[in-house]
Structure formats: C-alpha cells, structure tokens
Amino acid sequence: MILYFSGTGNSEYAAKRISREIHDESVDLFEKIRNHDFTELYSEKPWIIVSPAYAWRIPRILNEWLGKTTLAGSKEIYFIMTCGGSIGNAGAYLKELCAGRQMDYRGCLPVIMPENYIAMFSTPAEEEALKIIEHAEATIDKAASFIKNKATFPQHSVTVKDKMSSSIVNRIFYPMFVHAKKFHVKDTCISCGKCEALCPLANIRIVDGKPVWGTDCTHCMACICHCPVEAIEYGKHSSGLPRYTCPKLY
C-alpha cells in the first residue's frame, strides 16, 4: 500500500505514478493527519511512504502520524522523498523510526521535483516545472522497479553537510521559520475558503470572509499555492513569484 502526504502535488504525483506501475492502491493521508486518525492499517504488500522533504527530513506531522499508527501485515517499508535539492541525512532518522516500530526499512530514495517552498525559495514557471518532472519520472519509475523486484533502494552518499542539515539545522529551522506569522491576504481574496479546506492542520479559519492563520503550521504551502486568485502572500518574499502546484495533476 502506498501512503502519501502532499501539499502542492509533487508527492501525490510520484505516489500515483508508482501506484500505476506496481498495481497497488495509493492513500492520501491528508484527512488522517488533519483528523488525528491513527486507526490501524493493513497491507499484505510492502508499505511505501511518499513524502516531501521539509528541512531535510520528512514533515514532523507525518513522522508523528507514522509513530502513532500501526501498519499491520507486511513488515517491509520503503520511503520516497520528493525534494527541490536534497533530503540530507533523512534516511538515518527513517531507519531509526522503523526500528522502533519493528519494521523492515528498505531504504529511502530522493526524487528531485520542482521547488514549491515559496516562503524561502523561487518557484518555477510551468514550462520549467514540466522539464523537471519529466526528468524525475525516470527516478520514480526506477523506484517502482526496485519495489516490484523486492529489492532494497540503493543508499546515496551522505556528507557532513547532509548530517548537519538533518540534525542541527532541522532542529533550529522549525522553531525559527516554520510558523504562519508572515502569511497575509490581499484585498483580492474572493472568500472561497479553499485555503481553509486544504490546511492539513486545520490552522486556517475564515473570519469575516478572509482567512486567519492560527499558531499551528507545517509550511506545506498548500494555502498560498492553491489560492485561485493568488491573494495570499508570505511576507514580501512571495510577491511576484509564480505559485506552484504540480502541473501534471491540476
């Protein structure tokens, strides 16, 4: 069974492509994470977790869900992480997580996809994004082939920088940068409520027709990138940048 978490579609696209290749079902974890649903799941086939990289590890909200949810049946588990550049030393923490759950860790494979982190980086226009995705498809298909052949994902080399990114930098990055304080809405907001519906932490409320952000945020960028009129900004950084959602999904 393929389980995926996705804010703007990169991990969803990878999960669904693998689903087609290996003929296995894919499950969106959005509602389970949003509703704190830790009900046991069962699969006779290997578990495949598809996730974006947040500060060189899987998102903390996904890590929490995996830590509290029993994945019964198969003990084999693969991880695929979509990223704009690197997943750092994420595999070491995933291996540790699996050991604690008595799961057989089968490796973690990074897949370079278009950048969506508009809070800090530049996001690509659609033409550039499609080129990046086209190149990524070979890696996604390779992952599917490893899974079909019951092979462990090959390990990628880990540098000192990778280790620091996934440890010290990750621990500092979350409290310093992962918050909703800089999100704000312009007068062009049409009060559609899409941002409220798409927040995996139910951190957005519509008040007097406008979104208001709470104190809980994972920086998935779903609200800002899915806004149909681009009325949401993140400080000044996002101004003028193209909003990114996976063009092969939406």
Side-chain angles (χ1 to χ4, degrees), residues 79-136:
F79 289 85
I80 294 161
M81 291 181 67
T82 59
C83 58
S86 167
I87 64 169
N89 191 32
Y93 297 89
L94 294 173
K95 188 174 183 179
E96 182 179 344
L97 173 68
C98 293
R101 303 309 307 273
Q102 289 80 52
M103 300 289 287
D104 178 13
Y105 174 69
R106 305 290 284 168
C108 179
L109 193 71
V111 179
I112 304 297
M113 290 286 279
E115 182 62 65
N116 81 328
Y117 196 30
I118 198 171
M120 187 169 288
F121 303 117
S122 295
T123 45
E126 184 171 323
E127 184 178 353
E128 181 186 353
L130 286 169
K131 290 180 181 177
I132 296 170
I133 294 170
E134 183 179 356
H135 188 265

Side-chain angles (χ1 to χ4, degrees), residues 27-65:
V27 176
D28 186 351
L29 294 179
F30 174 84
E31 292 293 342
K32 291 184 178 295
I33 289 173
R34 183 177 170 116
N35 296 325
H36 305 285
D37 180 358
F38 307 114
T39 306
E40 178 181 304
L41 296 176
Y42 180 86
S43 175
E44 292 184 358
K45 295 181 179 180
W47 296 96
I48 301 142
I49 312 299
V50 187
S51 162
Y54 287 3
W56 301 279
R57 287 167 68 172
I58 63 170
R60 289 187 179 182
I61 58 172
L62 176 58
N63 194 82
E64 178 190 8
W65 185 86

Side-chain angles (χ1 to χ4, degrees), residues 44-237:
E44 292 184 358
K45 295 181 179 180
W47 296 96
I48 301 142
I49 312 299
V50 187
S51 162
Y54 287 3
W56 301 279
R57 287 167 68 172
I58 63 170
R60 289 187 179 182
I61 58 172
L62 176 58
N63 194 82
E64 178 190 8
W65 185 86
L66 287 169
K68 294 181 178 181
T69 304
T70 298
L71 302 180
S74 175
K75 289 295 184 182
E76 297 181 342
I77 185 166
Y78 293 86
F79 289 85
I80 294 161
M81 291 181 67
T82 59
C83 58
S86 167
I87 64 169
N89 191 32
Y93 297 89
L94 294 173
K95 188 174 183 179
E96 182 179 344
L97 173 68
C98 293
R101 303 309 307 273
Q102 289 80 52
M103 300 289 287
D104 178 13
Y105 174 69
R106 305 290 284 168
C108 179
L109 193 71
V111 179
I112 304 297
M113 290 286 279
E115 182 62 65
N116 81 328
Y117 196 30
I118 198 171
M120 187 169 288
F121 303 117
S122 295
T123 45
E126 184 171 323
E127 184 178 353
E128 181 186 353
L130 286 169
K131 290 180 181 177
I132 296 170
I133 294 170
E134 183 179 356
H135 188 265
E137 285 170 348
T139 304
I140 298 170
D141 292 346
K142 185 183 295 184
S145 178
F146 275 105
I147 295 166
K148 280 194 290 188
N149 291 316
K150 300 181 179 181
T152 301
F153 286 156
Q155 290 187 331
H156 67 281
S157 59
V158 176
T159 65
V160 173
K161 180 182 178 182
D162 291 331
K163 291 180 180 179
M164 291 185 64
S165 295
S166 295
S167 57
I168 298 170
V169 177
N170 178 278
R171 289 195 294 270
I172 294 172
F173 187 85
Y174 263 82
M176 287 190 65
F177 297 102
V178 183
H179 52 70
K181 296 176 184 177
K182 290 187 178 182
F183 282 114
H184 61 95
V185 65
K186 300 186 292 188
D187 292 337
T188 52
C189 172
I190 58 174
S191 306
C192 67
K194 192 171 186 178
C195 54
E196 180 183 38
L198 287 175
C199 180
L201 292 174
N203 188 51
I204 300 173
R205 295 180 298 115
I206 302 300
V207 180
D208 297 328
K210 304 295 182 185
V212 175
W213 285 262
T215 57
D216 206 5
C217 184
T218 190
H219 269 203
C220 69
M221 300 294 119
C223 61
I224 186 171
C225 286
H226 281 280
C227 177
V229 292
E230 298 186 9
I232 298 173
E233 298 286 2
Y234 188 82
K236 295 181 180 180
H237 179 77

